[in-house]
Amino acid sequence: MIRRELRIIRQRPVYIVGSVGVIAFCSLFFLSFLQKGLPDDIPIGIVDYDNTSTSRNFFQQLDATQIGQSVPYETFAQAREDMTRGKISAVCVLPEGLNSDIQANRQPKITFYINGLYFVGGSLAWKDLLQMVNLTSGAVQRQVLRMKGYNDAQIMGMIRPVDIDTHQIGNPDTNYSFLLSGMLIPAVIAMCVMMILIYSLGAELKFGTSRHHLMPSGGSMGPAVGGKATPWTTGSSATGFLVILLLYHWLGFPIAGSVWNMFLAMFLLITSTEAVAILILEMIPIPRLALSVGALFSVLNMSLAGFTLPTEAMPRFIKAFESMFPLRHYYLFYSKEVVFGTGFAGWWKEVVAFIIFYFLPLLGIRRLKNACINQNFPKD
């Protein structure tokens, strides 16, 4: 049965392209796209109506930061037009009388306009502008207080009475690649495993070879499906292990736990996804529809994993379905092992959840066997 599947794989290059090729392309894409870790030189339009040393210093300091790149504009209308065209991510308007208002202890209003259509660029531009406003305000206040005779310790106590000490656990550099690549690539692997296995099993029904597929196993559906899935389990696991080595060994992604435990997580993700793929084809033994359901499941698998939007912030009726997706349990395993390094004591529940997925094909194995023998479902 395994030899037969290997022969089919050699005869149909689409299998290799749709599995190893897609995973390799997506890995190179995400790792090169997020190579810098954090976007830099985000264009921010500055409209300076004050034109004083304070406003010019604000422009220069913003331009000196890693995130922002200042773009001067004479009028707000010009800046707004470029922002609507996507040329800049934000607009900051420095009002007339900014410096004199600060010197007179009045509150000048600095206006921000953020392009919310680009979430990452807009949020980073907002963060950079807010930081620069706070620094500019603090610098002016420090200068005024020094002229009044206060020392630096007293001044800092007045300007910033509460000092914030931030610790970003697991990602101190705010590297987007550490978070996104560490989850997006396994998500692509799970998607490829889902689609390829459904197609591989469904092709037997589509081309009318399902009875021949059952012959080597003596008509037993379990060994037939196992022989069909073994080459894909081996190949996908090997690819997944290479991805884990690439991320946490060769590229040096931070990991508090053990790489070996992440090998286990990858293997559990692949095999549990295969179990779901088999169940989908059992319930819908029509290859075209089964592939559509598998694609929908893969999308929800990514959406409800929780690595982009926390499931705690989702509506309660959606949150109730999070445990139905293997990638959610992989993410919990990943966060506990990579970020906190808890070991088995932290992620044993996720292992139990993965094992439960293995029993799903038992629900419809008889239905798939009848479909393979009778071939009474549409093939197109």
Side-chain angles (χ1 to χ4, degrees):
M1 291 178 290
I2 297 177
R3 289 182 179 178
R4 179 176 179 274
E5 184 65 18
L6 291 174
R7 185 173 65 254
I8 293 175
I9 293 174
R10 289 196 301 269
Q11 294 173 352
R12 299 176 184 172
V14 66
Y15 286 115
I16 302 300
V17 175
S19 55
V20 178
V22 172
I23 295 172
F25 172 79
C26 291
S27 299
L28 292 174
F29 174 79
F30 287 123
L31 292 173
S32 59
F33 181 72
L34 299 169
Q35 183 178 7
K36 294 183 179 180
L38 186 70
D40 57 2
D41 292 337
I42 296 174
I44 300 175
I46 304 295
V47 182
D48 186 3
Y49 288 129
D50 191 45
N51 197 25
T52 60
S53 59
T54 301
S55 61
R56 287 192 294 269
N57 182 68
F58 181 92
F59 182 94
Q60 295 170 359
Q61 293 296 329
L62 180 64
D63 197 42
T65 61
Q66 179 183 0
I67 297 177
Q69 180 181 10
S70 301
V71 181
Y73 287 94
E74 294 182 359
T75 63
F76 172 71
Q78 296 174 349
R80 183 179 181 278
E81 183 178 356
D82 280 357
M83 187 171 68
T84 55
R85 292 181 177 179
K87 294 183 178 180
I88 56 178
S89 297
V91 177
C92 177
V93 179
L94 303 178
E96 186 178 357
L98 172 67
N99 183 65
S100 59
D101 287 344
I102 293 176
Q103 296 294 341
N105 289 327
R106 294 190 296 267
Q107 284 187 327
K109 292 184 179 180
I110 297 178
T111 308
F112 301 161
Y113 296 88
I114 309 297
N115 192 343
L117 292 176
Y118 304 99
F119 178 75
V120 174
S123 60
L124 290 177
W126 159 260
K127 178 181 178 181
D128 204 30
L129 284 169
L130 188 61
Q131 181 181 10
M132 286 307 306
V133 168
N134 291 331
L135 290 175
T136 302
S137 175
V140 174
Q141 291 180 40
R142 183 178 61 179
Q143 183 179 358
V144 173
L145 291 173
R146 278 178 178 174
M147 295 174 61
K148 292 182 178 180
Y150 292 97
N151 58 42
D152 287 344
Q154 292 173 322
I155 292 172
M156 291 307 298
M158 296 177 183
I159 295 176
R160 191 168 61 181
V162 178
D163 194 9
I164 300 175
D165 187 13
T166 304
H167 297 270
Q168 299 183 132
I169 300 174
N171 193 358
D173 299 326
T174 318
N175 191 316
Y176 277 65
S177 187
F178 292 165
L179 171 64
L180 296 179
S181 298
M183 281 302 301
L184 282 174
I185 298 176
V188 171
I189 294 175
M191 180 185 67
C192 291
V193 168
M194 171 75 67
M195 303 306 292
I196 286 295
L197 187 57
I198 291 177
Y199 181 81
S200 178
L201 287 169
E204 303 288 353
L205 296 172
K206 178 179 176 62
F207 298 114
T209 57
S210 55
R211 295 171 186 168
H212 182 69
H213 175 223
L214 287 174
M215 289 177 58
S217 63
S220 179
M221 199 65 209
V225 173
K228 195 79 170 175
T230 297
W232 296 113
T233 303
T234 304
S236 300
S237 298
T239 305
F241 294 165
L242 286 176
V243 168
I244 295 297
L245 284 176
L246 174 66
L247 295 178
Y248 301 110
H249 182 67
W250 296 324
L251 295 181
F253 278 36
I255 177 171
S258 171
V259 173
W260 292 99
N261 291 336
M262 291 308 299
F263 287 161
L264 173 63
M266 180 60 70
F267 177 77
L268 292 172
L269 172 66
I270 290 170
T271 50
S272 60
T273 303
E274 289 177 338
V276 176
I278 295 171
L279 177 65
I280 290 175
L281 190 65
E282 289 173 347
M283 296 296 103
I284 311 175
I286 305 172
R288 172 174 53 83
L289 294 180
L291 283 171
S292 299
V293 174
L296 175 61
F297 185 91
S298 298
V299 172
L300 295 175
N301 200 23
M302 295 184 187
S303 302
L304 297 181
F307 65 94
T308 52
L309 177 65
T311 56
E312 292 78 9
M314 296 181 184
R316 186 174 300 177
F317 70 93
I318 294 179
K319 187 177 182 297
F321 296 100
E322 64 180 11
S323 298
M324 297 173 54
F325 301 93
L327 193 63
R328 170 61 180 171
H329 299 285
Y330 178 86
Y331 174 65
L332 294 175
F333 192 117
Y334 160 88
S335 60
K336 294 172 183 177
E337 182 64 25
V338 173
V339 180
F340 298 105
T342 59
F344 181 77
W347 42 256
W348 68 269
K349 293 181 181 179
E350 312 314 321
V351 175
V352 173
F354 278 125
I355 293 175
I356 292 175
F357 281 103
Y358 296 164
F359 295 95
L360 294 179
L362 299 178
L363 299 176
I365 192 72
R366 186 177 298 276
R367 177 179 172 84
L368 182 60
K369 182 178 179 179
N370 292 334
C372 290
I373 294 174
N374 299 324
Q375 297 181 358
N376 54 350
F377 288 91
K379 296 180 174 58
D380 296 330

